[in-house]
Amino acid sequence: MTDLQQRPSDDRQATALPPDLTVRELGRWTWRQLTSMRTALVLLLLLAFAAIPGSVIPQEDIDSLAVSQWRDDHPRLAPIWDRLDLFSVYGSVWFSAIYLLLMVSLVGCIIPRLLVYARALRARPPRAPRHLSRLPESASYTTGDAPEAVLGRAADVLRGRRFRVEPDDGAVAAERGYLREAGNLVFHLAVIVVLVGVAAGSLFGYKGGVIMLNGEDYGFSNNLTQYDDFAPGALFDPDVMEPFSFSITDFQVDWLTEGQRAGMAREFVAELAYETEPGSGTKSYDLKVNHPLTIGGTDVFLIGHGYAPVITVRDGEGEVTKSGPVVFLPTNAQTFESFGVVKAPFARPEQIGLEGTFYPTFAMGEDAEGNLSMPGSIWGDALDPLISMSVWTGDLGVDDGSASSVYVLDKAGATQVTEADGRPFRLDLRPGETAKLPDGLGTVTFDGLERWNKIQISRSPGKLVALAGVVLALLGLLGSLFVRPRRMWVRARRQDDGTTLVEVARLDRSSGGDPEDGAAELAAVVAALQGADDDTTTSNEKEQQP
């Protein structure tokens, strides 16, 4: 009975749990985990993975038109993407959390290492080992000079080779290559600088886009009302916006004529006429891809172009209800086949909506049997332009003449116009042609063709800080890769026969050092101690090598 009664007690003692952590101990453990190099690497990897959706999925602050089109094409996925902030990845809570945790982790990881490195800079080289001959790279010789003279000459020789020298008891200790660890620290510090620069640009800067028609009749002024889409930083101040203005006076495109990409735009240039501020005088600039116009702290980029057919819509009463260029968005980057919408909300007796495709160089395709198939464009240049559109009437979702999107036709309350036999009615027009709509709805005229350019304007206050961080990172990486830390010791002691035994040893602390280079450096130091010239000794050693 006694054994049975004691056994449960023994089991409880064997399985006793450790005491709970106090709040201070838990905080210290959490801080150590967060500021470990392993955690910093994991967070850096997570940040890279988190940026992938921002590169794959269209972003609101970069191309709101592409986001609208993506929502229309994926009506089921769009609400899920919205909840996950995948259309605004870089401004989402989860991306910001990873970003901030990475900065805290790097700061907590690097600052202690900086303190350790500062102490290492003041530390003397380690004392000479007792048996220098046991080191992988060592040499010895005898001389009639006194040990003190040999050690003095050794200190001078090693200092001349940029070693840090400290006298030892009967020996000289030297070390070189402190900048290797400095390179590692500079690299990690540069990562923080880059993150700070990017964060400053995101907080205080802004980015916006506008589609501009070419010609002096169309202009842009740098204020909030002029943008098609605008993404300010969390701490953005509108007062920092430079009061410049510009217009696109001309646009030139160089088309590829040979190869598989024939018909694509190889290079395009928009000629700008701009003023840095009202009354400052007009200047000109050739705006190209990757060659932005910089005004103050703001950059103006050319990121795209397309066609804007000039269309006139007359209603059943003969009144012009829509006239002017209409922006069509490219759906094919090579042929510039484009999609667009024309709305005439004030047409009578019913509203008129047009939806269709613009072909810069129209051609009918052929199937394998030679029969005509789907139409298309075979060239990006407007050599034979044609516009093909369907017609809708009724409620187009337009309120007071304005629509939620000029690139989308709301057909929920509209009816498609058909032929007498019930087939959908289509307009196929070339420049200068007019088509009459059925049922006395009016006419549509394709008057001509204009061009448009997509301009992106951004201000990133931290870009120079980020650039400095990248340069520091490269310098630090070069230092950590090419600086080789190594130590050398020279010991001299008097022997019984009156001569002095000199022992020299070298220790390479880097894993990538060349053994031949180490042997050559050791031989050069020994030759210098014996009174020979360094360059002559090195040359003789190279001649003796097989």
Side-chain angles (χ1 to χ4, degrees):
M1 292 296 295
T2 304
D3 292 339
L4 293 176
Q5 292 175 352
Q6 292 178 350
R7 188 171 301 168
S9 177
D10 295 340
D11 292 341
R12 286 193 297 269
Q13 293 178 0
T15 59
L17 297 175
D20 295 335
L21 294 176
T22 63
V23 175
R24 182 179 180 181
E25 292 171 340
L26 180 61
R28 182 182 301 174
W29 178 86
T30 303
W31 176 253
R32 288 178 178 175
Q33 296 300 315
L34 178 61
T35 57
S36 66
M37 182 58 68
R38 180 183 302 175
T39 302
L41 292 176
V42 171
L43 289 172
L44 190 60
L45 184 63
L46 284 177
L47 189 68
F49 279 118
I52 292 177
S55 302
V56 176
I57 301 173
Q59 299 294 291
E60 285 280 4
D61 57 348
I62 297 176
D63 194 345
S64 60
L65 300 178
V67 173
S68 300
Q69 187 174 0
W70 198 96
R71 285 195 173 102
D72 295 334
D73 296 337
H74 306 84
R76 295 185 178 179
L77 288 178
I80 301 175
W81 266 221
D82 283 324
R83 294 190 189 98
L84 297 177
D85 287 332
L86 294 182
F87 293 120
S88 182
V89 169
Y90 306 112
S92 63
V93 175
W94 51 271
F95 189 88
S96 301
I98 298 175
Y99 197 95
L100 292 175
L101 286 175
L102 177 60
M103 290 191 63
V104 172
S105 179
L106 287 174
V107 170
C109 179
I110 291 174
I111 289 180
R113 293 184 64 188
L114 286 173
L115 299 177
V116 172
Y117 180 63
R119 291 194 295 268
L121 286 177
R122 297 193 300 269
R124 56 169 291 177
R127 303 188 62 178
R130 179 174 298 179
H131 303 286
L132 292 180
S133 59
R134 295 181 180 179
L135 293 177
E137 298 173 346
S138 61
S140 63
Y141 68 94
T142 58
T143 180
D145 296 337
E148 293 79 8
V150 173
L151 295 179
R153 188 161 60 247
D156 294 338
V157 170
L158 293 174
R159 287 193 185 98
R161 290 179 167 270
R162 299 191 301 276
F163 279 83
R164 180 178 177 180
V165 179
E166 289 289 340
D168 200 354
D169 186 14
V172 170
E175 188 170 9
R176 181 181 174 183
Y178 288 91
L179 291 179
R180 182 184 182 91
E181 180 63 18
N184 291 330
L185 294 175
V186 167
F187 176 79
H188 290 88
L189 185 62
V191 175
I192 297 179
V193 174
V194 172
L195 293 176
V196 170
V198 174
S202 300
L203 290 174
F204 299 98
Y206 67 88
K207 182 185 295 184
V210 59
I211 291 180
M212 288 191 59
L213 293 168
N214 299 348
E216 297 180 355
D217 296 335
Y218 308 99
F220 174 85
S221 297
N222 191 31
N223 57 70
L224 297 178
T225 61
Q226 296 283 299
Y227 286 89
D228 294 333
D229 52 80
F230 189 82
L235 302 179
F236 166 71
D237 183 4
D239 293 337
V240 304
M241 300 178 70
E242 282 87 359
F244 61 84
S245 60
F246 63 85
S247 61
I248 302 175
T249 58
D250 194 12
F251 182 71
Q252 301 292 333
V253 184
D254 185 12
W255 301 95
L256 292 172
T257 58
E258 298 179 356
Q260 295 181 350
R261 295 188 176 183
M264 290 187 64
R266 176 171 56 186
E267 183 182 12
F268 45 96
V269 182
E271 298 180 9
L272 296 187
Y274 71 97
E275 290 184 348
T276 56
E277 58 184 20
S280 63
T282 303
K283 302 178 182 179
S284 61
Y285 184 83
D286 291 342
L287 191 63
K288 303 178 183 179
V289 176
N290 298 326
H291 290 80
L293 169 63
T294 301
I295 303 175
T298 306
D299 294 322
V300 181
F301 296 89
L302 175 63
I303 62 175
H305 63 102
Y307 291 98
V310 181
I311 297 174
T312 299
V313 179
R314 290 179 172 85
D315 61 11
E317 299 177 359
E319 298 293 333
V320 176
T321 59
K322 173 68 177 179
S323 182
V326 180
V327 172
F328 275 54
L329 302 179
T331 57
N332 187 310
Q334 181 171 351
T335 65
F336 276 82
E337 188 174 311
S338 307
F339 176 83
V341 169
V342 181
K343 300 178 183 180
F346 300 109
R348 295 293 180 269
E350 293 185 280
Q351 296 181 1
I352 299 175
L354 309 176
E355 178 185 73
T357 305
F358 170 73
Y359 305 97
T361 302
F362 178 77
M364 292 295 296
E366 294 183 357
D367 56 19
E369 299 178 355
N371 299 320
L372 296 178
S373 59
M374 296 296 293
S377 178
I378 60 174
W379 200 265
D381 199 1
L383 301 180
D384 184 19
L386 180 139
I387 189 168
S388 178
M389 308 187 77
S390 60
V391 184
W392 299 75
T393 60
D395 185 5
L396 302 179
V398 179
D399 184 15
D400 296 332
S402 63
S404 58
S405 174
V406 295
Y407 305 103
V408 178
L409 185 64
D410 185 1
K411 296 174 285 189
T415 302
Q416 186 172 10
V417 176
T418 59
E419 300 276 6
D421 57 2
R423 292 180 303 169
F425 177 81
R426 293 197 68 85
L427 295 171
D428 294 320
L429 299 174
R430 285 183 166 86
E433 296 181 348
T434 300
K436 187 176 180 179
L437 301 179
D439 303 326
L441 293 174
T443 60
V444 176
T445 303
F446 184 7
D447 297 308
L449 197 61
E450 293 189 10
R451 304 297 299 264
W452 58 262
N453 294 110
K454 178 64 181 293
I455 305 296
Q456 179 177 289
I457 302 170
S458 64
R459 178 183 175 88
S460 301
K463 63 180 180 181
L464 294 180
V465 176
L467 178 61
V470 172
V471 174
L472 284 177
L474 291 176
L475 294 176
L477 185 61
L478 291 175
S480 63
L481 291 177
F482 295 105
V483 175
R484 294 168 52 192
R486 51 199 183 273
R487 294 169 178 169
M488 293 197 73
W489 297 274
V490 179
R491 175 179 286 127
R493 65 174 182 271
R494 184 73 71 178
Q495 300 186 106
D496 295 338
D497 59 357
T499 60
T500 298
L501 175 64
V502 181
E503 296 177 299
V504 183
R506 179 184 182 277
L507 180 62
D508 195 335
R509 298 177 58 205
S510 61
S511 58
D514 188 350
E516 295 185 0
D517 293 342
E521 184 178 36
L522 179 65
V525 171
V526 172
L529 292 178
Q530 291 175 324
D533 182 73
D534 288 358
D535 296 336
T536 303
T537 303
T538 304
S539 175
N540 293 336
E541 289 174 354
K542 290 182 178 178
E543 293 177 358
Q544 295 174 4
Q545 292 179 0

